Amino acid sequence: MEQIKELLALWRDRSRASSDVKAVALEHIAELERKIAAIQEMTRTLKHLAGHCHGDDRPDCPIIEEIANGSAQVNMEVNPRFGVAALK
């Protein structure tokens, strides 16, 4: 939201330099790339954990155990937009 406000302010300011707009765009790209890297890491972790889960009727679950022990680099948060727990 903050970046949108900044871009709107730059759009309204006809005396702005295009380098200011480009700087905002490059910051947004860097932020998106950080998020992509974090999601890729979470995906690798969950794939690894799922690969070590028997997926049967036994109550023990390596996925839950690893997350509970903090060994897995998977963070959960409640996403208010969707009303469910989402990977962070």
Side-chain angles (χ1 to χ4, degrees):
M1 277 308 260
E2 201 57 43
Q3 289 171 332
I4 292 171
K5 288 179 187 177
E6 188 174 355
L7 283 172
L8 284 173
L10 289 170
W11 176 74
R12 287 185 198 111
D13 180 5
R14 298 295 178 193
S15 65
R16 51 84 173 92
S18 64
S19 60
D20 295 337
V21 178
K22 183 176 180 177
V24 171
L26 291 173
E27 286 176 31
H28 189 62
I29 290 168
E31 181 180 331
L32 290 171
E33 288 175 340
R34 283 190 298 276
K35 288 179 181 182
I36 289 167
I39 290 169
Q40 289 172 334
E41 178 60 30
M42 285 184 281
T43 300
R44 281 190 295 276
T45 299
L46 287 173
K47 282 182 179 180
H48 172 78
L49 292 173
H52 289 84
C53 179
H54 296 287
D56 54 20
D57 293 333
R58 291 185 270 185
D60 59 314
C61 176
I63 298 169
I64 298 296
E65 290 169 13
E66 288 292 319
I67 293 172
N69 291 335
S71 304
Q73 301 250 332
V74 178
N75 297 315
M76 301 293 281
E77 72 175 5
V78 174
N79 184 327
R81 181 173 177 194
F82 300 109
V84 296
L87 294 176
K88 175 180 173 189

